[in-house]
Structure formats: structure tokens, C-alpha cells
Amino acid sequence: MLPTDANNQTFSRRDEKIAPGKLAAAQYVIAAILLVLFAGLWRLQILGADNYRLLAEANRVRKVPILAPRGRLFDREGRLLVDNYSSVTCFLLREQMRDADLPLIAEGLHLPMDQLQYILRHYQYAPKYQPIPLKQDITPDEQAFISAHFNELPELETLEEQRRLYPRDGFAAHLIGYVGEISENDLKNPKYDFYEPGDVVGKFGVEEAYDAILRGTDGSRDVIVNSHGREIGKLGEELAVPGKDLKLTIDLDLQMVAEKVMEGKNGGLVAMDPHTGEILAMVSRPTFDPNQFAVRLSRSYWNGIVTDTNHPLMNKAIQAQLAPGSTFKVIMTLAGLQENAAQDLRVVCNGGATFYGHFFGCDRHHGSVDIRNALPYSCDTYYYTLANKLGIDTIAKYGHEVGIGQKTGVDLPGEASGIMPSPEWKLKAQRDKWYAGETISVGIGQGATQASPIQLARALSGIASGGVFIRPHSVMADQIDPQMQQALEETYPGTGKKRIEISTENWETITDAMANVTQSSIGTAAEAHLEGIDFAGKTGTADVISGRKKGTADKATLPNAWFVGMTPRRNPDIVVAVLWEHGYWGNNSAKLAAQVVNAFVEKQRKKAGNLRLVQAALPQPPNQDSGAKDDKSAQPSASAKPVAPADKDAARPASQPVALKPKEQKPAA
């Protein structure tokens, strides 16, 4: 009889037992689970012990960067131009960040909320452990806010660093440049492969060209932090290596004069030593304040300078590409003499001449003009005729030889190459053939001809130096090693150093004619004459529109005023090129250049005078013949060594002309 329950229901004995198969399956599942758990425990506790120990240590230890101070900049005499100052930057630690804290952070750091969110988006793909720079150069009250919310805002951290301090009022801003936070576009450039978001790099001028030398190597400090991310101890420190200081070629005294003469004008000025290529002064107007770029640039300031139609961010000394006007006539004179086409060329100027059915005007009726008075007169009619006689191919050949239409290779970013027009150039650039009438305009530096002040400075000083052309540079040569020098030449390619053959007779004819531009009553820059100084040069008045009217009240239609001058006339010690946009006559720029040249000469004379005073104050060697050791009137013996001058400039005042060499000899470099 089957068993019954309390309700007298029957059931089978088989219902009281679990099937052996199900029991075995459950046992296998439990064993597998235990095996997985034991394997995971083995991996965590045994195999991954070292790795997790490091991760735990990383949570306990933080690496705080120590930013390297950037190298300082000095002028050629060791006077400080660009320094650093201590600044505090606020960083955001994203690992500790809470979205609810952002409004309070924005309020305490005086940051608009949209700007704070933009910064977070900018760094969204950066590693989580990398601190985000929120605000640079924070104020004392912002530092107090961070300290007061020490526990409430653990994601905020401060770091003291050295920041750039530039001269005021944009002094030498285009030469020196500025630094700024690396941009997204920069990071896409292979040049910045080793840089990270937030890095500060050189953005312009010397700061950019020599960034690798100036930036130094950052260090780091290992600190112990608590669970809130706050520093509670130190473990070790790797010191930062400061960037190298650099001595620039500019002369502070000369730069100050150049800045003053260009104040309120629009254009560029460059002064250079033709012997070495050292840039003694460089000015571009209007200018900008590089200190604005040293911290996070305000949007209002940036919009103001990028929308300025006078282009304050353009270095017009090396980037302006404009018709050189009559300064090009020096190159025409060289071409005419070297090709034996100008020696016997005589033209009667009656206010212009007709070529190919078109009348080309001249500003005056100069009468009879030859190669010796063509430059002082700046007679367009003469150079129209010479251009027609030479032809565009010959003109372009000499233009290219002296560097027109080519970069000089100056060690500054953004140099423009200009244009030396030719049939080949026009076919390539405009898909059109060359017309003979275009050659006439090129002969006076108009038409498609374009040059920058530094190109003209190098070209005309090279001609005055007997055909020796030097690469301009802004940092003293002894400041960089040969490997860096080679890298610079590859980064900023140009015509570099070269020499062309100029006969001594032609050299003297050209340089004497340039001297008569400023020293003769017929010269176009007679008002810029400097008494007692062998000052030579060439003016240029370049039309900006065709058919301008003299005396027009519209400044935008006035010609650009050019002048390139030097002292002495042969083998000059300094060359100054001035571009004054809409400055009207080239004579106006000549007066500006004369002030810079006069300051240079006066300084050289003073140095030479001081040297003579030092030499006179030195005790004189005794006269060995008389044996009187204390005889002050005795002369030094032939074997006594004279005191060496302080430098080559002190040995001979710049105003003293070089003695003319015999005509059968080549001019000295």
C-alpha cells in the first residue's frame, strides 16, 4: 500500500530522490566556479602583485612637473632685453574632478563658464592623469580662493613657474617674437612631435627660431598624496635644466633710435653690418605687445590686432613685399656698367620719353643725364632708356644675382621672397607672355617688381662691398654650435653668402653716385646730408596706384617712401633700409635713416675716443736707448706691443671713408 499525506494523497518514493545525473552536473558547475575564483585570486595575488603594487603606488605618489626657466635674451653688449618672472598657474586634476564643482571653480577663478567648458573640451583626449592648465598668472585673491577651498575642491592644484617678461610698448617685438601655449594645429606639425598640449613654445621671431635652445628641459618632483589627492610628503626630485641664454646681434642704443624714428609711422626699418650680416636694429610698425601673449591671450586683444588693416603682426622689415621704386636703380646701374651698356649712354630728359607707343613720365626735366648723375637725379627717363637697352633677361639676371626675388635666409620665420619679374616668372605666375613695354617699368623698380627692406639692405650693401653678400642673422655667431647653424640654414634657406665679380671702376662709379645722392645739391636726399660723415644711399618713391595725383589728400594713394643708406660709401660698416608706407617722397625716409646712421657713427667715435683716453692713461714703456726708466717723454720701443682696440669698429670710425684702391685691383670685401 502506497504512503499517504495528511490529506490522504498518495505519492511515489522516486520523488524523494535527485537524479544522479543532475547531482553530478551541479557538482561540476560548483567546482568550475570555485576553479575560476581560485584562478582569479591567483592572478590578483600572485601573478599581478607587482603590477597592482605599482598602481597602488601611483595612487599614493604623484609626479609634479618642474618647468624649466626659458633662456634670457641680451643685446650684443650684454644688456638684458627679455627676462622671466615668477608666476602661479592653476591646474585641474581630472581624476578628482566633480561636475558639480565647475560653477564654483569658474566663479573663484573669474573664468566665464563657457571658457572653462572650452578648456575641458580642448583636453578631452589627453590622458586622464595629465593636469589641465586652467588659468595662468593667477592673482593673489585667486590663490587665496584655492587655499580657502582646500578640502572642498581637491581637483584644484597650483604650480609656480617662470613666465616671459618682454620690453614695454612692443620694443623690438617683431625681432624678439613671443611665446604662447602650443595650439592644436601646431601639434599636427611634425616639428612639434615631442610637445604635449599645454606646452609653451616660441611663436614668432627669435623665440620661435631658437625655441629648441631657449626652452630648456623640464624636471619633476615625486610627492606623496592622500586619498583626497593632497600632497602630504616628498619622495624625490629631478631638477629642471634652464634654457640657454642668447646674445642677440642688435645694439640696444641703435634699436632705441630706430624705434623712435619709426614711431607713429607704418612700415619697417632694418640696420645691418654688411661685414658680418649682424642685424643691428629691426623695427616694424605698427607693433604689438608680446606680454599679452605670455599668458592666456584675451579674445578681445587678439581680435583687435588680427582685424587691424595695418597688420601689426607682420614683420614688415622681412615680410613686406612692395615695389622698391628708385632704390632698384642701383641694381640697374650695376647691370648697365657690367654689361658695358651705360658707360657712354647719355639721355636728354624732357620730363619723360615714349616707348612702344606709350609715354613714360619723369618727375622733372633733368636735361642732359649720364651714368654719373643719373642716380643723384634719380632720372626715370635715363633708366627707362637703359632698361630698354638691356632687356628684361639681363635685368632679371642681375636682380637675381643680388638677391631680389629670393629670401636672404635670415634666421627669422616668415621671410618673404619678393618678386624679380621675368618672362619665365610671368608665364608661370600669370600664364601670359612678357610684353616689351613692361620692361620699361621694371627699370625704375615698378611694375611687378617687389622687395622687402632686408632684401634691399643686403643687395645694395653687397654692391657697395664690392660684390660680397652676407646672410643676415639676429643671434651672435658664437652663441650656437655648427650643427645648430646648419639646421637653421636648412630651416630658413636663402641666398646665403656669395660673391659676384664687380670691376673696381664700376664699383667706384656706383658708390660715388650713391654718395652724391646725399652729399650733392642735385641729390634726391640732399636734406638728409650728415656733416662729416661719408653717408651714401638711394631714395625710392614707389607708386601704390597707377596715375596718382600729387598733393592728393587721400593718404592711401600716396607713394611708399624708400631709402637704403650706408656709411662709408665703400665697404660700409652699416646699412639702413627704411620703408615708410605712404610716406610720399623717398627723401622722407632718408631723413629717418640718417638719424640711425648718425647715432651709429657717434657711438663708434665715442668708443674710439674712449680707447684713445685709455691708451694715453696707460704707463709708457721706458726708452731702452737712454736707459732713463722714469723719463715720461721717452717713446716706446719698436718691440713694445700697442694696446689692441676693443673691436674692429673702434679701430676706425665709421665715418672715415676707405682709401680708394688702384683701379687694377679688385675691391676688398
Side-chain angles (χ1 to χ4, degrees):
M1 183 175 179
L2 295 173
T4 61
D5 60 9
N7 296 321
N8 295 321
Q9 293 178 336
T10 63
F11 55 88
S12 172
R13 289 183 182 276
R14 289 176 296 178
D15 293 338
E16 295 178 346
K17 297 180 179 180
I18 298 175
K22 291 182 177 180
L23 183 60
Q27 291 173 341
Y28 283 125
V29 170
I30 293 172
I33 292 173
L34 290 173
L35 184 62
V36 170
L37 290 174
F38 278 116
L41 187 62
W42 174 269
R43 181 175 62 83
L44 290 172
Q45 297 293 329
I46 307 300
L47 297 181
D50 292 339
N51 180 49
Y52 286 102
R53 188 179 297 109
L54 290 175
L55 290 176
E57 186 72 13
N59 288 331
R60 188 177 74 94
V61 178
R62 179 187 301 152
K63 190 175 288 291
V64 178
I66 301 176
L67 304 181
R70 200 168 176 86
R72 297 172 299 170
L73 298 178
F74 298 84
D75 89 325
R76 64 188 297 112
E77 296 179 0
R79 291 170 289 188
L80 185 62
L81 295 172
V82 178
D83 201 357
N84 302 304
Y85 70 95
S86 295
S87 170
V88 177
T89 298
C90 178
F91 288 87
L92 179 70
L93 308 177
R94 281 180 294 172
E95 294 172 324
Q96 308 285 336
M97 187 186 76
R98 296 172 299 192
D99 291 339
D101 294 338
L102 294 181
L104 180 59
I105 293 174
E107 180 183 358
L109 295 180
H110 304 105
L111 283 173
M113 192 63 186
D114 59 345
Q115 184 178 345
L116 179 57
Q117 292 172 340
Y118 169 80
I119 295 172
L120 294 176
R121 288 195 303 271
H122 179 69
Y123 289 96
Q124 62 182 331
Y125 298 113
K128 277 282 187 182
Y129 61 82
Q130 179 180 318
I132 296 176
L134 282 187
K135 190 172 185 181
Q136 302 168 335
D137 211 18
I138 62 175
T139 60
D141 65 308
E142 290 166 346
Q143 294 181 48
F145 164 79
I146 296 172
S147 298
H149 294 78
F150 181 84
N151 294 318
E152 189 179 353
L153 299 173
E155 58 264 53
L156 293 185
E157 188 66 82
T158 58
L159 177 67
E160 186 172 338
E161 56 185 326
Q162 296 292 305
R163 200 160 294 283
R164 262 328 201 203
L165 181 62
Y166 294 103
R168 294 181 300 174
D169 304 323
F171 183 88
H174 294 86
L175 175 74
I176 294 172
Y178 59 88
V179 295
E181 185 179 335
I182 194 167
S183 66
E184 292 181 8
N185 289 333
D186 290 336
L187 290 170
K188 297 175 184 177
N189 189 333
K191 174 182 176 182
Y192 299 101
D193 282 344
F194 300 102
Y195 293 74
E196 296 179 354
D199 282 351
V200 174
V201 297
K203 290 278 192 175
F204 198 68
V206 170
E207 291 277 27
E208 179 179 339
Y210 293 89
D211 183 68
I213 295 178
L214 292 168
R215 66 180 282 106
T217 304
D218 292 343
S220 62
R221 184 176 68 251
D222 292 331
V223 298
I224 303 172
V225 296
N226 60 19
S227 59
H228 296 290
R230 293 299 180 182
E231 182 178 333
I232 59 175
K234 297 180 181 180
L235 288 179
E237 186 174 75
E238 182 181 352
L239 297 177
V241 179
K244 180 183 176 182
D245 294 341
L246 285 180
K247 185 181 288 187
L248 305 186
T249 59
I250 65 171
D251 184 317
L252 181 58
D253 299 319
L254 214 60
Q255 181 72 27
M256 292 174 67
V257 174
E259 297 272 350
K260 184 177 180 180
V261 301
M262 291 299 295
E263 190 62 41
K265 301 171 181 63
N266 190 356
L269 180 153
V270 60
M272 187 180 77
D273 181 344
H275 302 299
T276 62
E278 294 170 359
I279 296 173
L280 303 176
M282 181 178 284
V283 179
S284 182
R285 283 291 186 272
T287 187
F288 62 93
D289 183 7
N291 290 296
Q292 294 285 342
F293 295 82
V295 294
R296 190 175 296 278
L297 184 65
S298 68
R299 187 173 300 176
S300 59
Y301 186 81
W302 175 252
N303 290 337
I305 58 177
V306 298
T307 57
D308 190 331
T309 56
N310 290 321
H311 310 294
L313 287 178
M314 174 189 285
N315 184 352
K316 295 178 181 178
I318 67 171
Q319 293 178 314
Q321 300 183 94
L322 297 169
S326 295
T327 58
F328 190 77
K329 292 174 182 175
V330 177
I331 302 170
M332 288 292 299
T333 302
L334 172 68
L337 290 172
Q338 292 290 102
E339 294 294 317
N340 294 314
Q343 281 83 345
D344 299 322
L345 179 63
R346 185 176 295 274
V347 172
V348 176
C349 173
N350 292 315
T354 300
F355 299 90
Y356 307 102
H358 179 77
F359 181 77
F360 293 83
C362 185
D363 283 330
R364 291 179 177 82
H365 291 66
H366 294 108
S368 180
V369 182
D370 62 18
I371 193 60
R372 288 166 181 78
N373 59 16
L375 267 183
Y377 278 141
S378 196
C379 178
D380 288 347
T381 305
Y382 184 90
Y383 286 99
Y384 293 149
T385 307
L386 181 59
N388 191 50
K389 187 175 182 180
L390 290 173
I392 188 60
D393 291 328
T394 300
I395 296 172
K397 169 192 168 186
Y398 282 92
H400 285 134
E401 282 194 349
V402 300
I404 304 300
Q406 305 166 63
K407 295 179 180 180
T408 66
V410 63
D411 55 345
L412 295 172
E415 183 187 7
S417 60
I419 296 174
M420 183 61 247
S422 66
E424 293 77 17
W425 166 84
K426 189 177 181 184
L427 186 62
K428 182 178 179 180
Q430 301 180 5
R431 306 293 182 188
D432 198 4
K433 68 176 184 178
W434 186 267
Y435 294 96
E438 297 177 85
T439 305
I440 309 303
S441 295
V442 173
I444 62 167
Q446 295 275 183
T449 315
Q450 292 185 358
S452 66
I454 199 166
Q455 280 179 317
L456 290 175
R458 179 178 178 272
L460 270 60
S461 65
I463 294 171
S465 297
V468 178
F469 300 81
I470 304 294
R471 177 192 296 270
H473 60 275
S474 60
V475 172
M476 300 297 285
D478 61 358
Q479 300 289 289
I480 52 178
D481 56 40
Q483 185 177 0
M484 179 65 179
Q485 180 63 46
Q486 181 64 32
L488 284 168
E489 293 179 6
E490 293 173 359
T491 305
Y492 305 108
T495 50
K497 181 178 180 178
K498 63 178 293 186
R499 178 165 190 159
I500 63 174
E501 292 298 324
I502 301 177
S503 73
T504 303
E505 184 176 1
N506 293 341
W507 177 56
E508 293 177 358
T509 300
I510 296 171
T511 51
D512 286 343
M514 291 173 67
N516 284 332
V517 170
T518 62
Q519 299 183 30
S520 169
S521 60
I522 66 171
T524 53
E527 293 179 37
H529 173 69
L530 295 174
E531 191 65 36
I533 298 177
D534 186 26
F535 183 38
K538 184 67 190 81
T539 57
T541 305
D543 291 345
V544 295
I545 60 172
S546 178
R548 66 175 172 86
K549 294 182 179 179
K550 297 179 183 178
T552 177
D554 185 2
K555 184 178 179 180
T557 66
L558 292 177
N560 294 326
W562 285 92
F563 182 77
V564 182
M566 62 207 67
T567 188
R569 72 184 73 181
R570 287 191 262 277
N571 294 322
D573 295 326
I574 184 175
V575 58
V576 181
V578 178
L579 163 64
W580 182 357
E581 293 186 43
H582 310 298
Y584 209 2
W585 296 111
N587 181 46
N588 294 330
S589 287
K591 296 174 186 176
L592 306 182
Q595 295 180 57
V596 178
V597 168
N598 185 66
F600 173 82
V601 171
E602 289 300 320
K603 183 170 182 176
Q604 299 308 108
R605 288 174 174 172
K606 185 177 180 180
K607 287 167 64 177
N610 290 340
L611 177 64
R612 285 193 291 270
L613 289 174
V614 170
Q615 289 176 323
L618 291 175
Q620 299 297 318
N623 189 327
Q624 296 181 358
D625 293 337
S626 64
K629 294 183 178 181
D630 297 327
D631 184 3
K632 294 183 179 181
S633 64
Q635 298 296 318
S637 67
S639 61
K641 293 183 179 179
V643 177
D647 53 38
K648 68 175 181 62
D649 294 325
R652 173 174 57 87
S655 61
Q656 180 182 343
V658 178
L660 298 185
K661 304 179 186 309
K663 292 187 178 181
E664 67 272 14
Q665 295 181 2
K666 294 292 183 183

